[in-house]
Amino acid sequence: MAGDPAEPGGEGATPQDPPEPQDPKAGEGAKPQDPGAGEGKGDQNVHKLERDVANRDKRIKELEAAGGRKTSEDRIDAIEKQLADMEAERDAAKADAALTAAGCIDCELARPALAALGGDVAALKEQKPYLFAQPAQPGSTGGKPAGAPKLTKEQILDVKDPAERRRLIAENRSLFGI
């Protein structure tokens, strides 16, 4: 019988293939598979190298066109300039607030003069009073004074001119219940 396990060559009696070692022998697989300098044609891919050089040159031109990278000193200088601008803006805002509180009409004209006086608003107001609002002078507004005598209903009805009487009635509607 061909399938008897007890017979040699039968199923399961002995393994058919001897086991192979898992670790490669010394020297096996240690060499790289890429061809060495002496193997193959011996020349490298010239087209690939030319393409790499062209890409590198293109990238260099792009970076130069974009301004390249700034040095750390350039960055520090830019930050210091920005800081100085912000401090000047803050000082101008403080001066404007002090001048506005004192009644200044034109802060842009008063700011340099204030800086020349060391920030003394009172001295500026004394030296250049035209930069500050003057107190309002009492004057006529053109309207009827509030203390003007009121007309009575009888006085309005006694007016002979009908147009004038209608105007007075319109101005004093409350007297006529209108």
Side-chain angles (χ1 to χ4, degrees):
M1 300 186 125
D4 188 14
E7 287 184 22
E11 279 187 55
T14 56
Q16 292 180 356
D17 294 327
E20 292 186 25
Q22 295 295 320
D23 294 328
K25 295 178 186 170
E28 244 183 63
K31 289 186 189 178
Q33 293 183 0
D34 295 331
E39 299 176 0
K41 293 182 181 177
D43 61 350
Q44 296 177 352
N45 190 346
V46 176
H47 297 293
K48 181 181 182 300
L49 292 175
E50 289 174 350
R51 188 173 56 241
D52 290 345
V53 169
N55 285 339
R56 182 204 61 194
D57 291 343
K58 179 182 173 186
R59 180 73 178 142
I60 289 172
K61 287 179 183 177
E62 287 174 358
L63 290 173
E64 286 174 351
R69 295 187 66 164
K70 292 184 177 180
T71 63
S72 60
E73 290 103 19
D74 292 341
R75 291 180 186 165
I76 290 171
D77 290 341
I79 291 171
E80 286 175 349
K81 183 183 181 312
Q82 185 180 12
L83 179 64
D85 291 343
M86 292 173 74
E87 287 175 351
E89 193 174 308
R90 181 199 62 204
D91 293 341
K94 282 184 180 180
D96 285 350
L99 290 169
T100 303
C104 182
I105 298 170
D106 192 354
C107 291
E108 286 186 36
L109 290 176
R111 202 176 312 127
L114 183 67
L117 293 173
D120 189 6
V121 177
L124 178 65
K125 201 170 191 179
E126 206 173 283
Q127 285 185 0
K128 302 186 186 240
Y130 55 88
L131 290 175
F132 296 89
Q134 303 301 324
Q137 300 291 331
S140 175
T141 60
K144 291 183 180 179
K150 301 276 183 175
L151 295 174
T152 63
K153 184 177 179 179
E154 291 78 29
Q155 289 173 333
I156 294 172
L157 292 175
D158 288 340
V159 174
K160 301 288 183 206
D161 184 19
E164 179 68 17
R165 190 177 331 122
R166 281 192 292 267
R167 184 186 66 78
L168 289 173
I169 291 171
E171 289 178 5
N172 298 293
R173 291 178 181 234
S174 60
L175 294 176
F176 294 95
I178 303 174

